[in-house]
């Protein structure tokens, strides 16, 4: 459907690509990958013909429709969401307007027997047939389906687009493209503006898309589940494989291994030939032989290795000063903006060493909760920090708060202290700032580069509670893998907001789900969370309508279940902290007992009594924890 032939695109700093070719057919679902700055978004602009190539051609098959979602959308603000999408299909809108005109004429004219009146009736039939072919009569149902899937509530469909934030406006534009179902769909980083549930929905939608798709995403799982072809941009070239991203990495590594082996053999043969030439060139009786070797060497096609850098780095968030066992104790926390209640009466405990994923749809208050914890906004209730708690915080706007006039190196050099100063260049290199990159001013960095630098700053700060709000936005896949590995090795406490499922997988050991102005605790990972969410969604869709008394009873039961759920979750958290405290105290007393000689002395008896009391308390607390955990499992299975 789209053919690119020997295309080149030149910028003042040099070529992005030289003589590249590409064909996009129906059913191709291409994941376009590569490090930030290699020209992924530019290639989408070239494919859509919004950018003109320096050389080469971009040819669209006649009659195809193309939808293009850019990162910098221009969308009207003074129209409702529903109206904007309804009027977005030019052909359908034109036919509908003509149909309204013809129907008006038919109701006002009285020359029923005339040829002109008959022609109008025939035109109505033709127009309706065309609308049927375009599936226009199902447009309302399709709009509702897509908007709900992307996280809009039914009562928001007729709100003005300007009343939504930039991220939600991006969802409106994406919804418009999906509803119109173009032959070729070009999408640039759609998951940056979606929550984890909406990403799941979009993934399933694109799996069933029948046209050609070119997708830019740094979400590895999204790429793997949607695409059947991977194109990586590197070294001014396209590397094209008929598989998803993870399989591509394996195949590319195997290909590189074969290429390096072949080059090694060729280099050895070339070296042997050159040695022979040098040996016989000066001898008269061997000069002709040397000349033949030279000609043979000139004809050799040298193997060139197009190396795509995938360096592995070892970076670590240091923990020099651990916190107490209770890190945060949140009690009765409430927050509202005017009449809009964000959450009310939150009760949650964060313990040392926990790695929490804070999940929920966009707009439910995840970032607001973090701002309450970090005292960046006012609230009612209490957020009590535990003993010796120090916070390292990456906010969504941390990258924008960097000094634009400072260089990359100076940004870190200003905060580095002691022995860490020796590691500045090594750690910058780990976050892909090497060579002359460290002398660049912050103002010339891309969004992804600024995000990497802001995260890199945290490595030189001293904290034992790390809070990160969407740190993976604008990071490429390699940078995310470096960050994930560092967070996995972090020995402190972590509270993380992210919509990237692959990034979260194996990183958190507990989930705080914030929804309906409450926090619900889950003692499993993100994969299990999404599985249960899908099961709940299927169950709710298949449930039969209930009579009024049943609905009322369900409401009462649900209210009681929620109260019990909160009580059990709090009991489990408190028991876990108490068990850890008792175990530590028992270890101390046990060591002291070993140092006290066995005798009938009062010291020994007092110490032994203390030991036995602690053991009894531990056994009681363990029993309490087991009973609460069993009750929670039963309640969760009942709710699911």
């Amino acid at each position: 459907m789209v053919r690119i032939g020997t295309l080149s695109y030149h910028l003042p700093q040099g070529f992005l690509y030289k003589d590249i070719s590409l064909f996009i057919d129906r059913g191709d679902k291409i994941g376009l990958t590569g490090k930030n700055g290699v020209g992924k978004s530019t290639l989408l602009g070239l494919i859509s013909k919004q950018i003109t190539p320096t050389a080469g051609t971009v040819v669209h098959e006649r009659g195809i429709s193309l939808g293009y979602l850019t990162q910098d959308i221009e969308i009207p603000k003074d129209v409702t969401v529903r109206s904007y999408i309804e009027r977005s299909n030019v052909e359908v809108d034109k036919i509908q307007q003509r149909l309204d005109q013809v129907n008006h004429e038919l109701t006002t004219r009285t020359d029923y027997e005339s040829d002109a009146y008959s022609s109008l009736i025939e035109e109505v039939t033709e127009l309706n047939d065309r609308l049927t072919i375009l599936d226009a009569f199902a447009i309302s149902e399709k709009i509702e389906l897509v908007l709900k899937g992307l996280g809009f509530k039914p009562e928001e469909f007729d709100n003005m687009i300007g009343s939504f934030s930039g991220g939600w406006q991006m969802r409106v534009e994406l919804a418009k493209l999906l509803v119109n179902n173009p032959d070729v769909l070009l999408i640039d980083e759609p998951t940056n503006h979606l929550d984890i549930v909406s990403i799941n929905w979009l993934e399933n939608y694109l799996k069933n898309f029948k046209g050609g798709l070119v997708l830019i995403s740094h979400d590895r799982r999204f790429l793997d589940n949607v695409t059947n072809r991977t194109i990586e941009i590197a070294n001014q070239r396209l590397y094209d494989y008929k598989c998803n991203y993870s399989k591509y990495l394996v195949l590319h590594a195997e290909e590189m291994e074969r290429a390096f082996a072949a080059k090694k053999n060729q280099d050895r043969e070339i070296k042997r030939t050159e040695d022979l030439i040098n040996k016989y060139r000066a001898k008269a009786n061997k000069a002709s032989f040397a000349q033949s070797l030279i000609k043979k060497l000139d004809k050799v096609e040298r193997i060139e290795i197009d190396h795509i850098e995938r360096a592995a780095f070892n970076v670590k968030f240091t923990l020099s000063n651990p916190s107490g066992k209770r890190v945060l104790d949140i009690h009765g926390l409430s927050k509202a903006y005017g009449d809009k209640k964000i959450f009310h009466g939150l009760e949650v405990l964060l313990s040392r060493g926990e790695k929490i994923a804070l999940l929920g749809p966009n707009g439910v208050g995840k970032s607001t909760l973090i701002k309450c914890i970090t005292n960046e906004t006012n609230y009612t209730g209490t957020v009590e920090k535990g003993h010796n708690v120090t916070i390292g915080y990456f906010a969504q706007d941390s990258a924008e708060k960097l000094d634009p006039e400072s260089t990359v190196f100076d940004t870190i050099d200003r905060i580095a202290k002691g022995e860490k100063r020796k590691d500045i260049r090594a750690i910058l290199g780990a976050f892909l700032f090497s060579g002359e990159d460290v002398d660049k001013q912050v103002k010339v960095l891309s969004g992804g580069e600024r995000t990497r630098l802001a995260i890199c700053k945290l490595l030189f700060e001293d904290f034992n509670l790390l809070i990160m709000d969407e740190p993976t936005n604008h990071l490429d896949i390699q940078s995310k893998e470096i960050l994930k590995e560092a967070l996995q090795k972090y020995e402190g406490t972590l509270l993380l907001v992210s919509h990237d499922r692959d990034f979260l997988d194996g990183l958190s050991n507990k989930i705080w789900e914030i929804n309906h102005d409450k926090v619900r605790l889950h003692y499993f990972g993100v994969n299990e969370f999404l599985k249960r969410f899908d099961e709940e969604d299927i169950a709710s869709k298949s449930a039969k309508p209930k009579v009024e008394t049943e609905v009322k009873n369900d409401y009462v039961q649900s209210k009681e279940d929620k109260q019990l759920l909160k009580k059990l979750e709090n009991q489990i958290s408190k028991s876990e902290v108490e068990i850890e405290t008792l175990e530590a105290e028992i270890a101390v007393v046990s060591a002291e007992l070993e140092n006290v000689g066995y005798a009938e002395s009062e010291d020994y008896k007092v110490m032994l009594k203390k030991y036995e009391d602690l053991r009894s308390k531990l056994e009681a607390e363990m029993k309490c924890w087991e009973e609460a955990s069993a009750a929670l499992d039963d309640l969760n299975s009942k709710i699911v």
Side-chain angles (χ1 to χ4, degrees):
M1 292 187 289
V2 177
R3 186 182 298 276
I4 293 176
T6 58
L7 181 145
S8 297
Y9 188 72
H10 189 270
L11 294 173
Q13 59 267 37
F15 279 97
L16 274 181
Y17 348 91
K18 292 182 69 174
D19 298 329
I20 61 171
S21 296
L22 174 65
F23 180 68
I24 305 167
D25 201 359
R26 191 175 300 277
D28 282 341
K29 295 179 180 178
I30 300 171
L32 194 59
T33 67
K35 291 196 298 185
N36 289 338
V38 296
K40 300 186 294 294
S41 297
T42 301
L43 185 57
L44 288 193
L46 289 162
I47 294 171
S48 66
K49 294 189 175 181
Q50 292 191 13
I51 298 176
T52 303
T54 304
T57 58
V58 179
V59 179
H60 293 179
E61 184 181 311
R62 181 176 296 179
I64 69 163
S65 56
L66 187 144
Y68 179 25
L69 179 73
T70 69
Q71 292 193 43
D72 302 313
I73 62 168
E74 295 181 6
I75 188 169
K77 308 295 190 293
D78 57 349
V79 62
T80 68
V81 173
R82 192 195 305 267
S83 297
Y84 176 66
I85 299 175
E86 284 177 340
R87 303 294 297 273
S88 61
N89 189 305
V90 176
E91 184 179 1
V92 169
D93 188 48
K94 187 176 179 180
I95 292 172
Q96 195 65 60
Q97 289 184 37
R98 176 56 185 162
L99 194 58
D100 291 342
Q101 293 173 0
V102 175
N103 282 328
H104 177 71
E105 286 192 53
L106 288 174
T107 57
T108 56
R109 292 176 64 156
T110 57
D111 55 334
Y112 308 122
E113 304 298 328
S114 68
D115 291 341
Y117 196 89
S118 297
S119 296
L120 288 176
I121 293 175
E122 290 176 4
E123 186 177 358
V124 167
T125 302
E126 291 172 358
L127 291 173
N128 280 314
D129 287 345
R130 182 58 182 162
L131 287 176
T132 300
I133 292 171
L134 295 173
D135 201 23
F137 296 111
I139 189 72
S140 295
E141 182 181 350
K142 190 181 290 186
I143 288 173
E144 291 183 6
L145 171 71
V146 172
L147 287 176
K148 286 180 182 177
L150 291 177
F152 289 91
K153 299 173 183 176
E155 59 268 26
E156 296 175 328
F157 294 174
D158 295 308
N159 290 357
M160 291 293 178
I161 292 175
S163 68
F164 293 95
S165 66
W168 284 92
Q169 290 178 26
M170 183 73 75
R171 294 192 194 204
V172 175
E173 188 69 14
L174 176 59
K176 181 192 81 172
L177 297 181
L178 299 181
V179 167
N180 286 314
N181 196 35
D183 297 300
V184 179
L185 189 55
L186 311 175
I187 313 181
D188 193 350
E189 291 288 3
T191 60
N192 277 359
H193 306 281
L194 300 180
D195 56 66
I196 199 165
V197 174
S198 299
I199 290 173
N200 221 36
W201 179 88
L202 178 61
E203 181 180 285
N204 290 324
Y205 191 98
L206 293 178
K207 283 180 184 177
N208 297 314
F209 179 64
K210 304 301 181 185
L213 170 68
V214 184
L215 167 70
I216 296 175
S217 179
H218 293 145
D219 186 327
R220 180 168 177 165
R221 183 176 298 191
F222 192 72
L223 285 171
D224 281 348
N225 291 341
V226 170
T227 63
N228 55 23
R229 186 176 166 193
T230 298
I231 294 177
E232 181 153 4
I233 303 175
N235 310 317
Q236 303 177 349
R237 291 184 54 189
L238 303 185
Y239 298 83
D240 193 349
Y241 285 75
K242 307 292 184 183
C243 57
N244 65 22
Y245 183 77
S246 290
K247 291 182 180 177
Y248 158 72
L249 290 179
V250 174
L251 293 175
H252 186 266
E254 292 174 351
E255 184 177 288
M256 287 297 99
E257 188 175 344
R258 290 192 295 270
F260 278 118
K263 180 171 174 53
K264 185 177 180 180
N265 290 333
Q266 186 184 69
D267 289 345
R268 186 165 50 245
E269 183 61 26
I270 289 172
K271 178 66 167 55
R272 190 183 69 84
T273 303
E274 287 174 342
D275 289 343
L276 287 173
I277 291 170
N278 292 331
K279 181 179 179 180
Y280 295 120
R281 176 178 291 174
K283 298 181 180 180
N285 60 338
K286 296 289 185 178
S288 59
F289 176 62
Q291 286 299 317
S292 67
L293 290 176
I294 291 172
K295 291 178 181 178
K296 178 183 176 182
L297 196 59
D298 289 341
K299 293 178 181 179
V300 172
E301 187 173 341
R302 305 291 177 107
I303 297 174
E304 298 291 338
I305 304 295
D306 291 319
H307 181 59
I308 298 177
E309 182 183 357
R310 301 193 200 284
F313 297 96
N314 181 26
V315 296
K316 186 177 181 180
F317 292 98
T318 56
L319 181 66
S320 58
N321 197 10
S323 69
K325 294 179 178 63
R326 288 173 179 259
V327 177
L328 289 176
D329 198 345
I330 299 173
H331 180 68
L333 184 66
S334 300
K335 175 65 182 176
Y337 291 105
D339 295 331
K340 185 178 180 182
K341 182 171 68 174
I342 306 301
F343 40 73
H344 178 73
L346 296 188
E347 302 278 345
V348 68
L349 177 69
L350 180 62
S351 302
R352 184 178 65 198
E354 288 188 323
K355 293 188 175 181
I356 305 294
L358 182 57
L359 303 182
N362 283 354
V364 298
K366 300 187 297 294
S367 295
T368 302
L369 175 57
I370 285 178
K371 288 179 180 178
C372 291
I373 293 172
T374 55
N375 287 317
E376 292 198 350
T377 186
N378 58 346
Y379 56 85
T380 59
T382 60
V383 178
E384 184 180 345
K385 289 199 301 183
H387 172 68
N388 202 37
V389 171
T390 53
I391 296 177
Y393 178 35
F394 177 88
Q396 290 194 37
D397 61 351
S398 289
E400 303 307 316
K401 292 179 178 178
L402 297 172
D403 179 4
E405 300 301 324
S406 179
T407 66
V408 170
F409 183 86
D410 288 341
T411 299
I412 304 300
D413 187 51
R414 288 173 186 167
I415 61 171
K417 298 177 182 178
E419 290 297 310
K420 285 187 177 181
R421 296 187 61 81
K422 297 185 298 184
D423 300 326
I424 293 177
R425 290 190 180 274
I427 293 177
L428 282 172
F431 278 84
L432 310 182
F433 294 107
S434 57
E436 296 179 355
D437 292 339
V438 301
D439 297 320
K440 288 182 179 178
Q441 286 185 298
V442 170
K443 63 184 178 183
V444 304
L445 300 180
S446 67
E449 288 171 328
R450 291 190 187 199
T451 298
R452 292 205 308 269
L453 184 57
I455 293 172
C456 187
K457 279 186 65 180
L458 288 172
L459 293 166
F460 292 86
E461 297 175 5
D462 192 14
F463 51 82
N464 47 45
L465 169 59
L466 177 56
I467 300 175
M468 306 193 85
D469 189 1
E470 298 288 7
T472 63
N473 279 358
H474 310 297
L475 288 185
D476 57 36
I477 292 175
Q478 184 178 353
S479 299
K480 285 198 289 189
E481 289 174 349
I482 292 170
L483 175 60
K484 180 175 180 178
E485 186 177 349
L487 291 176
Q488 285 174 326
K489 293 184 290 188
Y490 178 53
E491 296 175 353
T493 307
L494 175 66
L495 181 57
L496 175 66
V497 177
S498 178
H499 56 255
D500 190 312
R501 297 158 300 169
D502 189 65
F503 183 74
L504 288 173
D505 186 19
L507 192 53
S508 64
N509 53 25
K510 190 183 291 186
I511 288 173
W512 288 1
E513 179 193 3
I514 182 167
N515 208 345
H516 304 300
D517 75 14
K518 299 294 180 184
V519 169
R520 182 179 176 187
L521 273 62
H522 301 283
Y523 296 87
F524 42 69
V526 65
N527 294 333
E528 180 69 15
F529 172 79
L530 289 172
K531 179 184 176 183
R532 294 196 182 199
F533 184 90
D534 287 341
E535 288 173 351
E536 288 176 0
D537 187 48
I538 292 169
S540 65
K541 289 178 180 177
S542 62
K544 295 180 180 179
K546 299 177 182 180
V547 297
E548 185 177 348
T549 55
E550 289 176 322
V551 172
K552 183 177 180 181
N553 288 337
D554 275 1
Y555 169 76
V556 174
Q557 187 64 41
S558 174
K559 185 177 180 181
E560 292 173 352
D561 285 345
K562 286 179 180 178
Q563 290 174 346
L564 179 58
L565 186 72
K566 186 168 90 170
K567 181 180 178 181
L568 290 170
E569 287 172 342
N570 286 338
Q571 179 60 56
I572 289 171
S573 293
K574 289 176 181 177
S575 290
E576 288 174 347
V577 173
E578 188 63 25
I579 288 168
E580 188 176 350
T581 302
L582 288 167
E583 287 176 340
E585 291 179 4
I586 287 171
V588 172
V589 174
S590 179
E592 290 176 352
L593 270 174
E594 291 177 2
N595 294 327
V596 176
Y598 178 74
E600 294 298 322
S601 67
E602 284 301 313
D603 287 345
Y604 183 82
K605 291 178 180 178
V606 170
M607 196 70 66
L608 183 61
K609 180 68 167 58
K610 185 177 180 181
Y611 177 82
E612 290 172 346
D613 288 345
L614 287 171
R615 291 295 306 177
S616 297
K617 287 181 181 179
L618 178 60
E619 289 173 6
E621 201 63 54
M622 288 290 291
K623 184 178 180 181
C624 182
W625 181 87
E626 289 171 0
E627 290 174 351
S629 296
L632 182 64
D633 289 341
D634 290 342
L635 185 58
N636 276 329
S637 62
K638 175 184 173 184
I639 293 173
V640 172

